[in-house]
Amino acid sequence: MSKNGLSGFGDLARPKLLRWKLKNSALKKYGDILQGDRAQEPELYAQFQIICEDVLQRLSKDAKRRSKHNIGIWHGSGSAQLPDAHTQTVVRKPDILVLRRSTIQSLNRTTKLKINRIQRHHLWGLTLFPMEVEKTKQKPSPPKTTKAVSNKKSTNDPRGSHRYTIKDAQLGSYVLECFLANYRMFVIALSLKNYDVTLWYYDSIGALRSIPFNFLHDPRCLILVLHCMNEASSAQAGFSPFIAEATILGGRPWVWKGQRLEFTNSGGLLRTFIVTDDPLFISRQMQGKRTFILPVKPADKKAPKREMVLKFLWLDRGRSPEIVLINEICTAAPELKEYLPRIFFDRFYNSEMDLHLPRFNLNIQFNKLKMRDLTVIVAESCYELWMVDSLEEFKTAFVNIFKCHHRVFIKGRILHGAITSRNIMFYRREDSSVVGSLHGFDDSFRVDDTDTVIPSEVSHSPCISPFTATDLLDITIETPHRYCHDLESFFYVLLWAGVHFDLKNHKEKPMDELFALWNVHTEADFTKAHDNKSEIWHNDGRLNRFKSRFTEDFIPLWDEWVTPLRELFYDAQEEEKRIRAQTPDQETLNSILTFENFMGALGQEPRTWD
């Protein structure tokens, strides 16, 4: 990212930078603190704030703006704490935040009246400055050098390789908080090390880092950054362009309930949806799909009076959007419409042509990155299976979904590829009977007449979750996704449901320690999860640990479904060993792992659709 690569803030007119200096008195105190025996970050916050506020005031004067500048610097006197969004127990200081002035006023009132903690939903922030102090014996240049750009090197040599530090991890944590606050399209952040400022850009595709600039020797860069942030609209600062008239009056914490989301359909017609409650699901990803689901209702009073959900998802450009696959399935097998998501509205946004993400304005090649585009789907609400009223209803929905999955594979020629507890759901007909519904076709594969994933989609990464099949966790070999892998995932879903679903209270328990090793992130995690799952087929003691955790509701399912299925997979594993030197039928392991055999283990007759 070049010095001029600030286009994320839009085409903003530059102030008259050449005649500008930074505030000498604050610069001198900043340098004195750095040279002190006990330089502390909080001591630098106040001086850096004075430097920035002075620039912002002169920016407003230069622009002949009557009102005060739009943004301000806030650091909570170096003592405010931010609870971790996931655990709400671990706290940390947020360093320097660049916030809307109304938010700063609210935070100042909050920290005076209550304990020194701020909530993550206060982060209606533009960016942030995690600060790192590196002790140096060199004396800083005198402030008079700020009148011109110097050719001196930055403290961080821009030509050297960047070492990932604990401060980078801290920055990533704060960026994630900003993403989670109200589903931003991108976040531009800054990190500060002594006099060096580095710009960082994060979106669903990846992260970019600029060459550091030294604000002592090159004040124009800092002035330009502050100018861009001060003039940026919400959309130019990365906030969602779909939130209609998004405001936080008086700096109140952000809430989703009541917000209006506006989209235009392919015909240019405006569709508005009102958020009815808190988010149903928030992915804690900075890159990748970043799935985000909200409960909504159409603003149009003529629309169906049904509960709906709106899903944002950043899809790998090489994959087909979920709505495309669902339409293909419904065309090939219209009898499945009842068991698939009931789509009310959908929209696809190209990240470059429609959303104009700043990364595409930079002169950078992205050949090795996977491009992602935003998909928006509004569908009628379904519920996770722990919301059913009885084990019999669970079994009905599960069998519905399993049969639908096979029909999608056989007639729709699509392998689902992402069987998880969240993707198998249900709804009720008008007579209150339960209908299973298969969701989550974002990671699906098209298959050919031999039931093999088509060559153009073989390279697509599989969905990795606690329910991923053992073969796909072996990172030493490349294994194409097969139908039998989805069967194995269905088995893991049964184990998960038995341990976590509390049907009497309609709750899902937190992840049990038995499944902790199945939640993979690193290469070592893949190996541990592979070995741990492999034990299930041959180690009775290992399997019985799951039985001991089954809830009272699901105990009858152990002998009825789990044991027969475990025997089926055991036979398949033994057959794989026997014929390993040969060329086995990889799809079914010599007709052992088939739809018919799986249904037989469930005590069910295969459904005749035709």
Side-chain angles (χ1 to χ4, degrees), residues 111 134 160 165 188 201 377 387 400-401 549 585 591:
T111 53
E134 183 178 72
T165 68
I188 295 177
Y201 169 87
I377 290 180
M387 289 293 292
N400 283 167
I401 293 165
R549 306 291 179 89
D585 171 13
S591 300

Side-chain angles (χ1 to χ4, degrees), residues 22-36 44 47-48 50-51 140-144 146 195 215-216:
L22 300 181
K23 194 173 184 68
N24 284 352
S25 59
L27 275 175
K28 184 179 184 306
K29 291 181 180 179
Y30 190 94
D32 291 343
I33 294 171
L34 281 178
Q35 292 301 306
L44 296 171
Q47 301 309 317
F48 190 77
I50 292 172
I51 293 170
S141 301
K144 64 180 182 179
T146 61
Y195 291 104
F215 71 82
L216 178 66

Side-chain angles (χ1 to χ4, degrees), residues 545-558:
R545 291 184 64 192
F546 288 90
K547 183 179 181 180
S548 67
R549 306 291 179 89
F550 260 42
T551 62
E552 182 181 352
D553 296 320
F554 279 85
I555 284 295
L557 208 60
W558 186 269

Side-chain angles (χ1 to χ4, degrees), residues 185-201:
M185 299 292 102
F186 61 87
V187 173
I188 295 177
L190 300 98
S191 58
L192 180 62
K193 183 175 182 179
N194 293 4
Y195 291 104
D196 291 336
V197 178
T198 303
L199 278 72
W200 299 77
Y201 169 87

Side-chain angles (χ1 to χ4, degrees), residues 271-319:
R271 305 296 292 268
T272 303
F273 300 91
I274 301 173
V275 181
T276 58
D277 209 336
D278 293 334
L280 298 172
F281 178 78
I282 305 176
S283 169
R284 290 183 58 83
Q285 291 178 308
M286 285 191 293
Q287 280 87 47
K289 292 194 294 184
R290 287 186 57 215
T291 306
F292 184 64
I293 302 176
L294 288 164
V296 298
K297 65 179 180 180
D300 185 358
K301 296 181 179 180
K302 297 180 180 180
K305 304 297 182 183
R306 301 188 184 98
E307 293 182 357
M308 295 186 182
V309 295
L310 186 150
K311 178 169 75 172
F312 290 102
L313 183 143
W314 292 85
L315 185 68
D316 183 344
R317 191 170 289 177
R319 289 188 178 272

Side-chain angles (χ1 to χ4, degrees), residues 258-456:
Q259 298 293 338
R260 299 171 68 90
L261 302 175
E262 294 182 347
F263 309 90
T264 54
N265 62 16
S266 56
L269 181 65
L270 181 67
R271 305 296 292 268
T272 303
F273 300 91
I274 301 173
V275 181
T276 58
D277 209 336
D278 293 334
L280 298 172
F281 178 78
I282 305 176
S283 169
R284 290 183 58 83
Q285 291 178 308
M286 285 191 293
Q287 280 87 47
K289 292 194 294 184
R290 287 186 57 215
T291 306
F292 184 64
I293 302 176
L294 288 164
V296 298
K297 65 179 180 180
D300 185 358
K301 296 181 179 180
K302 297 180 180 180
K305 304 297 182 183
R306 301 188 184 98
E307 293 182 357
M308 295 186 182
V309 295
L310 186 150
K311 178 169 75 172
F312 290 102
L313 183 143
W314 292 85
L315 185 68
D316 183 344
R317 191 170 289 177
R319 289 188 178 272
S320 297
E322 183 175 21
I323 185 63
V324 172
L325 297 178
I326 291 174
N327 287 339
E328 289 181 8
I329 295 168
C330 290
T331 299
E335 65 274 12
L336 293 180
K337 289 183 179 180
E338 184 180 20
Y339 305 98
L340 297 172
R342 296 160 293 167
I343 308 298
F344 178 75
F345 169 83
D346 67 274
R347 188 73 165 84
F348 175 84
Y349 294 92
N350 182 281
S351 57
E352 180 177 7
M353 305 305 294
D354 298 321
L355 298 177
H356 310 291
L357 292 186
R359 71 166 50 248
F360 297 106
N361 294 331
L362 306 175
N363 188 23
I364 299 176
Q365 298 295 322
F366 302 115
N367 296 334
K368 295 183 179 181
L369 286 177
K370 289 185 178 180
M371 294 296 105
R372 292 184 177 271
D373 299 306
L374 181 64
T375 62
V376 179
I377 290 180
V378 179
E380 293 185 27
S381 294
C382 286
Y383 307 95
E384 294 185 53
L385 292 189
W386 48 266
M387 289 293 292
V388 296
D389 290 335
S390 66
L391 181 60
E392 287 304 312
E393 286 191 344
F394 173 89
K395 292 165 61 177
T396 297
F398 187 92
V399 171
N400 283 167
I401 293 165
F402 184 70
K403 291 177 178 178
C404 172
H405 172 271
H406 180 254
R407 188 67 168 176
V408 166
F409 178 67
I410 294 299
K411 196 170 181 182
R413 310 312 300 153
I414 291 173
L415 176 60
H416 187 277
I419 299 301
T420 70
S421 63
R422 291 189 178 277
N423 285 337
I424 59 173
M425 309 185 80
F426 80 99
Y427 66 93
R428 294 185 183 276
R429 297 188 181 97
E430 292 184 0
D431 63 1
S432 296
S433 60
V434 164
V435 180
S437 183
L438 181 59
H439 290 243
F441 286 86
D442 313 303
D443 294 290
S444 298
F445 304 86
R446 291 186 176 88
V447 296
D448 58 24
D449 293 338
T450 64
D451 295 342
T452 304
V453 174
I454 62 176
S456 62

Side-chain angles (χ1 to χ4, degrees), residues 386 388-390 501-507 552-553:
W386 48 266
V388 296
D389 290 335
S390 66
F501 288 3
D502 180 355
L503 302 186
K504 287 185 175 63
N505 297 304
H506 296 304
K507 293 182 179 179
E552 182 181 352
D553 296 320

